[in-house]
């Protein structure tokens, strides 16, 4: 067995395409069977991710396996070279990138889940339902709210909340629901593009230290244009009149809901301050903010348990015992499939970068085509492939660009997913929530209008910031 392994290792080392890429003992596996196998593994995994809605296979499963297989292949080929430390260092580097993103998102998801459980977003929906707005007013209100909420909350949660309002008031008008869902997707993606907290891609750029926090707000006006252009064109296709008055609701925010909102804002301020003034990674500020929530959760749990035991009509909380507020239940309800999907993507793309493929892509895109065209194409690609691996690939390539070009790729990767319903998590989620009314084809019909807004936002950014 040992002889067979030695023969196999020797054969792989002597295969065409396997050479030392530089004096630092990094192998060039681009034209080697191991490199080709890694590409095939990644492509197959990503096809399964894109078919998630059809085959009902959670997207994290194929990506976790792909990441493991790619690094196993790389480690195997390095095994006989005496350069195992290169692989270990690369894996640790990519894992650290993921760890910072993981804990940052986990805290944000925990706060969002806590606010959902306290009825904060339900209260917003109920308030809108009781105002008696017309279809066109609701179209603009839900779109603008999606644009304004997504910079703080993630664009997926924002889109789901606004879609719930649209479905509640527009059940009698399929056209209103379809156009409003498109508007919500565009608004949520555009709103998330100018804030480090609004989208995973902007968070990745900020945590990487490419741009300071305040620079992202230079994208505000381009993001507004990206939202307003298609919304204005869709406005004229909306039905006239008002929806029927919904039944009345008496649900209100549960105790502690507004305090949790304030603590979330304080947590964001802590993360920004840690990064700006103390030069500490923002994830440490977010974890400190989780401490705020856990301490307040302890008080809230004791408070609710006391009133429940005293016979108050205050409803029990969400702990396993049905008594009081429980932070860990909100942590448990985080989007674990999404978090593990991010792990798979970051590690798999990192493996392809270690092999050398991202260097070729960087030379072709940014060297031959120029950064402006390349960054515009990144947005188009993100409409077909999830923007997370696309942005991580760009960050891994780390092309030499001025700040306004990094802002441009941040903008295009964030809003490019609006071109197709499958281009962003918000679009995919709303196709499931408004099944039969908001579809791939109904969104595709308005892709030219969205593309016009996409091009206009790039032009506005280059005019103002370039």
């Amino acid at each position: 067995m040992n002889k067979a392994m030695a023969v196999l290792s020797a054969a792989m080392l002597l295969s065409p395409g396997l050479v030392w890429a530089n004096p630092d003992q990094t192998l060039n596996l681009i034209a080697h069977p191991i490199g080709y196998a890694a590409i095939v593994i990644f492509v197959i995994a990503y096809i399964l991710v894109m078919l998630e809605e059809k085959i009902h296979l959670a997207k994290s499963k194929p990506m976790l396996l792909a990441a493991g297989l790619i690094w196993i292949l790389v480690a195997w080929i390095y095994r006989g070279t005496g350069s195992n430390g290169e692989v270990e260092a690369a894996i640790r580097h990519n894992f650290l990138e993921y760890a910072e993103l993981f804990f940052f998102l986990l805290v944000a998801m925990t706060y969002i889940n806590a606010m959902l459980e306290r009825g904060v977003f339900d209260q917003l929906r109920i308030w809108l339902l009781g105002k008696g707005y017309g279809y066109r007013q609701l179209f603009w209100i839900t779109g603008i709210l999606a644009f304004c909420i997504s910079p703080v909350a993630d664009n997926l949660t924002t889109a789901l909340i606004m879609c719930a309002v649209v479905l509640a008031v527009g059940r009698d008008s399929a056209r209103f629901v379809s156009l409003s869902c498109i508007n919500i997707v565009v608004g949520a993606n555009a709103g998330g593009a100018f804030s480090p907290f609004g989208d995973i891609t902007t968070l990745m750029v900020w945590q990487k230290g490419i741009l300071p926090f305040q620079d992202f707000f230079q994208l505000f006006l381009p993001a507004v244009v990206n939202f307003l252009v298609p919304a204005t064109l869709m406005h004229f296709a909306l039905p006239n009149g008002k929806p029927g008055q919904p039944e009345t609701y008496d649900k209100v925010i549960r105790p502690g809901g507004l305090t949790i909102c304030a603590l979330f804002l304080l947590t964001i301020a802590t993360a920004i301050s840690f990064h700006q003034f103390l030069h500490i990674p923002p994830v440490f500020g977010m974890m400190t903010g989780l401490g705020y929530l856990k301490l307040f959760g302890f008080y809230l749990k004791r408070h609710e348990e006391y009133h429940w035991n005293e016979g108050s009509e205050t409803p029990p909380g969400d702990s396993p015992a049905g008594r009081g507020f429980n932070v860990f239940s909100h942590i448990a309800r985080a989007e674990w499939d999404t978090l593990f999907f991010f792990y798979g993507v970051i590690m798999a793309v990192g493996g392809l970068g270690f092999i050398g493929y991202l260097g070729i892509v960087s030379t072709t895109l940014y060297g031959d085509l120029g950064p402006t065209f390349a960054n515009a194409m990144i947005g188009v690609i993100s409409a077909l492939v999830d923007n997370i691996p696309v942005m991580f690939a760009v960050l891994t390539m780390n092309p030499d660009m001025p700040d306004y070009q990094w802002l441009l790729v941040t903008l295009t990767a964030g809003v490019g997913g609006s071109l197709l319903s499958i281009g962003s998590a918000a679009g995919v989620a709303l196709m499931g929530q408004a099944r039969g009314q908001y579809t791939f084809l109904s969104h595709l019909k308005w892709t030219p209008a969205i593309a016009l807004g996409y091009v206009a936002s790039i032009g506005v950014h280059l005019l103002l910031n370039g």
Side-chain angles (χ1 to χ4, degrees):
M1 183 65 179
N2 291 335
K3 290 182 178 180
M5 292 177 64
V7 171
L8 179 60
S9 299
M12 295 174 76
L13 288 170
L14 296 174
S15 297
L18 183 58
V19 296
W20 297 107
N22 55 52
D24 295 328
Q25 303 296 302
T26 300
L27 295 177
N28 183 354
L29 302 174
I30 293 173
H32 189 270
I34 290 295
Y36 297 144
I39 288 288
V40 170
I41 290 170
F42 183 79
V43 170
I44 292 174
Y46 214 85
I47 289 173
L48 293 175
V49 170
M50 295 174 68
L51 295 175
E52 179 185 13
E53 293 296 313
K54 297 292 184 182
I55 63 178
H56 305 291
L57 176 69
K59 59 182 177 288
S60 63
K61 296 178 180 179
M63 289 310 301
L64 285 171
L65 182 60
L69 290 176
I70 289 172
W71 280 107
I72 287 172
L73 291 175
V74 172
W76 172 259
I77 198 68
Y78 271 78
R79 183 171 177 268
T81 67
S83 299
N84 294 350
E86 294 285 331
V87 178
E88 181 181 359
I91 290 176
R92 289 183 181 278
H93 172 76
N94 285 283
F95 190 80
L96 178 61
E97 294 269 354
Y98 169 72
E100 290 191 16
L101 181 65
F102 171 83
F103 284 107
F104 194 107
L105 290 174
L106 185 64
V107 175
M109 289 177 177
T110 301
Y111 265 103
I112 295 298
N113 287 335
M115 287 188 279
L116 282 168
E117 185 267 335
R118 292 285 110 178
V120 173
F121 297 115
D122 285 337
Q123 188 65 51
L124 173 62
R125 180 172 61 87
I126 292 166
W127 177 77
L128 285 173
L129 290 175
K131 289 295 182 178
Y133 292 121
Y135 285 123
R136 293 188 172 185
Q137 288 174 303
L138 284 167
F139 171 85
W140 282 102
I141 289 171
T142 52
I144 291 172
L145 283 174
F147 182 88
C148 295
I149 295 174
S150 61
V152 179
D154 65 283
N155 50 7
L156 174 59
T157 301
T158 301
L160 290 173
I161 294 165
M162 291 299 104
C163 185
V165 176
V166 167
L167 291 175
V169 300
R171 63 174 74 95
D172 298 327
S173 177
R175 193 200 313 175
F176 165 75
V177 171
S178 175
L179 291 173
S180 295
C181 285
I182 298 171
N183 193 42
I184 288 168
V185 170
V186 175
N189 289 336
F194 70 88
S195 165
F197 299 92
D199 191 86
I200 305 301
T201 55
T202 57
L203 177 61
M204 292 166 70
V205 173
W206 181 46
Q207 288 209 139
K208 189 79 171 179
I210 301 293
L211 296 168
F213 182 84
Q214 64 273 11
D215 281 13
F216 288 91
F217 295 99
Q218 296 178 38
L219 295 175
F220 175 75
L221 286 179
V224 169
V225 170
N226 182 271
F227 165 64
L228 287 181
V229 170
T232 302
L233 295 174
M234 287 188 287
H235 170 86
F236 299 101
L238 287 164
N240 292 313
K242 295 182 178 182
Q245 284 296 318
E247 56 188 272
T248 58
Y249 299 88
D250 57 1
K251 187 173 181 179
V252 295
I253 298 178
R254 295 181 60 192
L258 294 179
T259 303
I260 291 174
C261 292
L263 290 177
F264 186 42
L265 294 176
L266 179 61
T267 296
I268 292 174
T270 303
I272 296 170
S273 299
F274 273 32
H275 187 65
Q276 294 293 108
F277 304 118
L278 301 178
H279 306 291
I280 296 175
V283 64
F284 286 92
M286 294 297 288
M287 292 301 291
T288 303
L290 182 60
Y292 304 157
L293 181 61
K294 290 172 76 68
L295 286 175
F296 179 69
F298 173 77
Y299 160 76
L300 195 58
K301 179 179 175 67
R302 295 292 296 269
H303 176 76
E304 289 192 339
E305 287 178 346
Y306 172 78
H307 285 282
W308 183 249
N309 291 332
E310 290 293 316
S312 168
E313 294 186 4
T314 301
D318 56 359
S319 67
R323 293 165 47 194
F325 182 87
N326 185 1
V327 173
F328 289 103
S329 68
H330 300 306
I331 295 175
R333 285 201 297 269
E335 292 287 337
W336 290 101
D337 181 55
T338 300
L339 292 171
F340 286 128
F341 169 72
F342 291 158
Y343 167 83
V345 165
I346 288 174
M347 296 304 293
V349 173
L352 296 178
F354 185 77
I355 290 172
Y357 287 116
L358 296 186
I360 296 176
V361 175
S362 178
T363 301
T364 302
L365 277 178
Y366 291 95
D368 299 339
L369 301 178
T372 299
F373 184 80
N375 290 333
M377 286 302 299
I378 290 296
V380 176
I381 295 171
S382 69
L384 299 170
V385 181
D386 191 274
N387 59 2
I388 306 302
V390 172
M391 178 55 80
F392 186 74
V394 173
L395 291 172
T396 304
M397 292 185 290
N398 196 23
D400 185 16
M401 300 189 297
D403 285 355
Y404 82 93
Q405 288 289 355
W406 278 108
L407 285 170
L408 177 60
V409 73
T410 301
L411 173 69
T412 56
V415 304
S418 301
L419 293 169
L420 297 175
S421 63
I422 60 171
S424 66
V428 173
L430 263 58
M431 280 195 296
Q433 191 176 14
R435 190 179 303 276
Q437 295 173 293
Y438 171 62
T439 64
F440 177 84
L441 291 178
S442 68
H443 190 109
L444 186 64
K445 178 181 177 181
W446 290 95
T447 292
I450 300 170
L452 184 62
Y454 178 75
V455 173
S457 65
I458 293 175
V460 169
H461 168 66
L462 294 177
L463 180 65
L464 295 178
N465 306 317

PDB file of all heavy atoms in Angstrom, residues 447-466:
ATOM      1  N   THR A 447     -36.726  43.254 -16.461  1.00  0.00           N
ATOM      2  CA  THR A 447     -35.259  43.304 -16.423  1.00  0.00           C
ATOM      3  C   THR A 447     -34.695  44.475 -17.219  1.00  0.00           C
ATOM      4  O   THR A 447     -33.724  45.107 -16.769  1.00  0.00           O
ATOM      5  CB  THR A 447     -34.670  41.963 -16.903  1.00  0.00           C
ATOM      6  OG1 THR A 447     -34.978  40.948 -15.941  1.00  0.00           O
ATOM      7  CG2 THR A 447     -33.153  42.049 -17.055  1.00  0.00           C
ATOM      8  N   PRO A 448     -35.240  44.819 -18.417  1.00  0.00           N
ATOM      9  CA  PRO A 448     -34.709  45.998 -19.121  1.00  0.00           C
ATOM     10  C   PRO A 448     -34.799  47.283 -18.290  1.00  0.00           C
ATOM     11  O   PRO A 448     -33.863  48.099 -18.301  1.00  0.00           O
ATOM     12  CB  PRO A 448     -35.581  46.085 -20.379  1.00  0.00           C
ATOM     13  CG  PRO A 448     -36.025  44.675 -20.620  1.00  0.00           C
ATOM     14  CD  PRO A 448     -36.227  44.090 -19.261  1.00  0.00           C
ATOM     15  N   ALA A 449     -35.899  47.476 -17.544  1.00  0.00           N
ATOM     16  CA  ALA A 449     -36.032  48.666 -16.701  1.00  0.00           C
ATOM     17  C   ALA A 449     -35.028  48.628 -15.560  1.00  0.00           C
ATOM     18  O   ALA A 449     -34.411  49.652 -15.213  1.00  0.00           O
ATOM     19  CB  ALA A 449     -37.452  48.764 -16.150  1.00  0.00           C
ATOM     20  N   ILE A 450     -34.839  47.449 -14.974  1.00  0.00           N
ATOM     21  CA  ILE A 450     -33.862  47.307 -13.886  1.00  0.00           C
ATOM     22  C   ILE A 450     -32.452  47.523 -14.419  1.00  0.00           C
ATOM     23  O   ILE A 450     -31.605  48.156 -13.761  1.00  0.00           O
ATOM     24  CB  ILE A 450     -34.008  45.924 -13.223  1.00  0.00           C
ATOM     25  CG1 ILE A 450     -35.416  45.756 -12.645  1.00  0.00           C
ATOM     26  CG2 ILE A 450     -32.962  45.724 -12.129  1.00  0.00           C
ATOM     27  CD1 ILE A 450     -35.732  44.342 -12.197  1.00  0.00           C
ATOM     28  N   ALA A 451     -32.175  47.008 -15.627  1.00  0.00           N
ATOM     29  CA  ALA A 451     -30.857  47.196 -16.242  1.00  0.00           C
ATOM     30  C   ALA A 451     -30.591  48.678 -16.520  1.00  0.00           C
ATOM     31  O   ALA A 451     -29.448  49.147 -16.382  1.00  0.00           O
ATOM     32  CB  ALA A 451     -30.764  46.388 -17.533  1.00  0.00           C
ATOM     33  N   LEU A 452     -31.649  49.407 -16.897  1.00  0.00           N
ATOM     34  CA  LEU A 452     -31.488  50.851 -17.118  1.00  0.00           C
ATOM     35  C   LEU A 452     -31.078  51.543 -15.820  1.00  0.00           C
ATOM     36  O   LEU A 452     -30.199  52.412 -15.808  1.00  0.00           O
ATOM     37  CB  LEU A 452     -32.793  51.438 -17.656  1.00  0.00           C
ATOM     38  CG  LEU A 452     -32.779  52.924 -18.028  1.00  0.00           C
ATOM     39  CD1 LEU A 452     -31.774  53.189 -19.138  1.00  0.00           C
ATOM     40  CD2 LEU A 452     -34.177  53.375 -18.452  1.00  0.00           C
ATOM     41  N   GLY A 453     -31.711  51.152 -14.712  1.00  0.00           N
ATOM     42  CA  GLY A 453     -31.323  51.691 -13.414  1.00  0.00           C
ATOM     43  C   GLY A 453     -29.914  51.278 -13.031  1.00  0.00           C
ATOM     44  O   GLY A 453     -29.167  52.061 -12.420  1.00  0.00           O
ATOM     45  N   TYR A 454     -29.524  50.063 -13.393  1.00  0.00           N
ATOM     46  CA  TYR A 454     -28.178  49.563 -13.105  1.00  0.00           C
ATOM     47  C   TYR A 454     -27.122  50.412 -13.820  1.00  0.00           C
ATOM     48  O   TYR A 454     -26.154  50.873 -13.210  1.00  0.00           O
ATOM     49  CB  TYR A 454     -28.087  48.099 -13.543  1.00  0.00           C
ATOM     50  CG  TYR A 454     -26.734  47.457 -13.364  1.00  0.00           C
ATOM     51  CD1 TYR A 454     -26.282  47.083 -12.103  1.00  0.00           C
ATOM     52  CD2 TYR A 454     -25.917  47.204 -14.458  1.00  0.00           C
ATOM     53  CE1 TYR A 454     -25.049  46.484 -11.926  1.00  0.00           C
ATOM     54  CE2 TYR A 454     -24.676  46.600 -14.302  1.00  0.00           C
ATOM     55  CZ  TYR A 454     -24.254  46.239 -13.038  1.00  0.00           C
ATOM     56  OH  TYR A 454     -23.024  45.647 -12.874  1.00  0.00           O
ATOM     57  N   VAL A 455     -27.342  50.646 -15.111  1.00  0.00           N
ATOM     58  CA  VAL A 455     -26.401  51.451 -15.890  1.00  0.00           C
ATOM     59  C   VAL A 455     -26.386  52.892 -15.383  1.00  0.00           C
ATOM     60  O   VAL A 455     -25.319  53.521 -15.257  1.00  0.00           O
ATOM     61  CB  VAL A 455     -26.765  51.409 -17.388  1.00  0.00           C
ATOM     62  CG1 VAL A 455     -25.888  52.377 -18.188  1.00  0.00           C
ATOM     63  CG2 VAL A 455     -26.619  49.992 -17.926  1.00  0.00           C
ATOM     64  N   ALA A 456     -27.579  53.431 -15.076  1.00  0.00           N
ATOM     65  CA  ALA A 456     -27.657  54.808 -14.576  1.00  0.00           C
ATOM     66  C   ALA A 456     -26.918  54.967 -13.255  1.00  0.00           C
ATOM     67  O   ALA A 456     -26.242  55.979 -13.024  1.00  0.00           O
ATOM     68  CB  ALA A 456     -29.116  55.224 -14.422  1.00  0.00           C
ATOM     69  N   SER A 457     -27.029  53.977 -12.366  1.00  0.00           N
ATOM     70  CA  SER A 457     -26.340  54.071 -11.069  1.00  0.00           C
ATOM     71  C   SER A 457     -24.827  54.052 -11.251  1.00  0.00           C
ATOM     72  O   SER A 457     -24.099  54.762 -10.541  1.00  0.00           O
ATOM     73  CB  SER A 457     -26.786  52.924 -10.154  1.00  0.00           C
ATOM     74  OG  SER A 457     -26.382  51.666 -10.655  1.00  0.00           O
ATOM     75  N   ILE A 458     -24.334  53.254 -12.202  1.00  0.00           N
ATOM     76  CA  ILE A 458     -22.893  53.246 -12.479  1.00  0.00           C
ATOM     77  C   ILE A 458     -22.454  54.607 -12.995  1.00  0.00           C
ATOM     78  O   ILE A 458     -21.417  55.155 -12.584  1.00  0.00           O
ATOM     79  CB  ILE A 458     -22.555  52.138 -13.495  1.00  0.00           C
ATOM     80  CG1 ILE A 458     -22.795  50.761 -12.883  1.00  0.00           C
ATOM     81  CG2 ILE A 458     -21.094  52.264 -13.955  1.00  0.00           C
ATOM     82  CD1 ILE A 458     -22.591  49.612 -13.855  1.00  0.00           C
ATOM     83  N   GLY A 459     -23.265  55.174 -13.918  1.00  0.00           N
ATOM     84  CA  GLY A 459     -22.926  56.500 -14.453  1.00  0.00           C
ATOM     85  C   GLY A 459     -22.902  57.565 -13.387  1.00  0.00           C
ATOM     86  O   GLY A 459     -21.989  58.412 -13.352  1.00  0.00           O
ATOM     87  N   VAL A 460     -23.884  57.538 -12.470  1.00  0.00           N
ATOM     88  CA  VAL A 460     -23.940  58.520 -11.399  1.00  0.00           C
ATOM     89  C   VAL A 460     -22.726  58.361 -10.470  1.00  0.00           C
ATOM     90  O   VAL A 460     -22.112  59.343 -10.044  1.00  0.00           O
ATOM     91  CB  VAL A 460     -25.254  58.397 -10.607  1.00  0.00           C
ATOM     92  CG1 VAL A 460     -25.214  59.243  -9.327  1.00  0.00           C
ATOM     93  CG2 VAL A 460     -26.433  58.813 -11.465  1.00  0.00           C
ATOM     94  N   HIS A 461     -22.361  57.134 -10.176  1.00  0.00           N
ATOM     95  CA  HIS A 461     -21.195  56.914  -9.313  1.00  0.00           C
ATOM     96  C   HIS A 461     -19.926  57.439  -9.960  1.00  0.00           C
ATOM     97  O   HIS A 461     -19.120  58.142  -9.289  1.00  0.00           O
ATOM     98  CB  HIS A 461     -21.040  55.414  -9.021  1.00  0.00           C
ATOM     99  CG  HIS A 461     -19.731  55.069  -8.391  1.00  0.00           C
ATOM    100  ND1 HIS A 461     -19.373  55.484  -7.126  1.00  0.00           N
ATOM    101  CD2 HIS A 461     -18.654  54.362  -8.864  1.00  0.00           C
ATOM    102  CE1 HIS A 461     -18.153  55.053  -6.836  1.00  0.00           C
ATOM    103  NE2 HIS A 461     -17.711  54.381  -7.880  1.00  0.00           N
ATOM    104  N   LEU A 462     -19.711  57.137 -11.219  1.00  0.00           N
ATOM    105  CA  LEU A 462     -18.497  57.614 -11.897  1.00  0.00           C
ATOM    106  C   LEU A 462     -18.488  59.134 -11.996  1.00  0.00           C
ATOM    107  O   LEU A 462     -17.433  59.763 -11.887  1.00  0.00           O
ATOM    108  CB  LEU A 462     -18.404  56.988 -13.286  1.00  0.00           C
ATOM    109  CG  LEU A 462     -18.187  55.471 -13.320  1.00  0.00           C
ATOM    110  CD1 LEU A 462     -18.190  54.954 -14.752  1.00  0.00           C
ATOM    111  CD2 LEU A 462     -16.884  55.078 -12.613  1.00  0.00           C
ATOM    112  N   LEU A 463     -19.670  59.727 -12.191  1.00  0.00           N
ATOM    113  CA  LEU A 463     -19.764  61.185 -12.282  1.00  0.00           C
ATOM    114  C   LEU A 463     -19.446  61.847 -10.949  1.00  0.00           C
ATOM    115  O   LEU A 463     -18.719  62.851 -10.887  1.00  0.00           O
ATOM    116  CB  LEU A 463     -21.160  61.592 -12.759  1.00  0.00           C
ATOM    117  CG  LEU A 463     -21.432  63.095 -12.922  1.00  0.00           C
ATOM    118  CD1 LEU A 463     -20.560  63.659 -14.036  1.00  0.00           C
ATOM    119  CD2 LEU A 463     -22.903  63.338 -13.222  1.00  0.00           C
ATOM    120  N   LEU A 464     -19.990  61.290  -9.861  1.00  0.00           N
ATOM    121  CA  LEU A 464     -19.828  61.909  -8.544  1.00  0.00           C
ATOM    122  C   LEU A 464     -18.520  61.522  -7.867  1.00  0.00           C
ATOM    123  O   LEU A 464     -17.882  62.371  -7.217  1.00  0.00           O
ATOM    124  CB  LEU A 464     -21.000  61.508  -7.641  1.00  0.00           C
ATOM    125  CG  LEU A 464     -22.401  62.005  -8.044  1.00  0.00           C
ATOM    126  CD1 LEU A 464     -23.435  61.458  -7.059  1.00  0.00           C
ATOM    127  CD2 LEU A 464     -22.441  63.523  -8.079  1.00  0.00           C
ATOM    128  N   ASN A 465     -18.122  60.278  -7.985  1.00  0.00           N
ATOM    129  CA  ASN A 465     -16.999  59.768  -7.197  1.00  0.00           C
ATOM    130  C   ASN A 465     -15.765  59.416  -8.009  1.00  0.00           C
ATOM    131  O   ASN A 465     -14.705  59.182  -7.429  1.00  0.00           O
ATOM    132  CB  ASN A 465     -17.446  58.517  -6.417  1.00  0.00           C
ATOM    133  CG  ASN A 465     -18.684  58.776  -5.573  1.00  0.00           C
ATOM    134  OD1 ASN A 465     -18.779  59.826  -4.924  1.00  0.00           O
ATOM    135  ND2 ASN A 465     -19.631  57.851  -5.568  1.00  0.00           N
ATOM    136  N   GLY A 466     -15.907  59.340  -9.341  1.00  0.00           N
ATOM    137  CA  GLY A 466     -14.782  58.879 -10.159  1.00  0.00           C
ATOM    138  C   GLY A 466     -13.866  59.989 -10.590  1.00  0.00           C
ATOM    139  O   GLY A 466     -12.789  59.747 -11.096  1.00  0.00           O
TER     140      GLY A 466
END
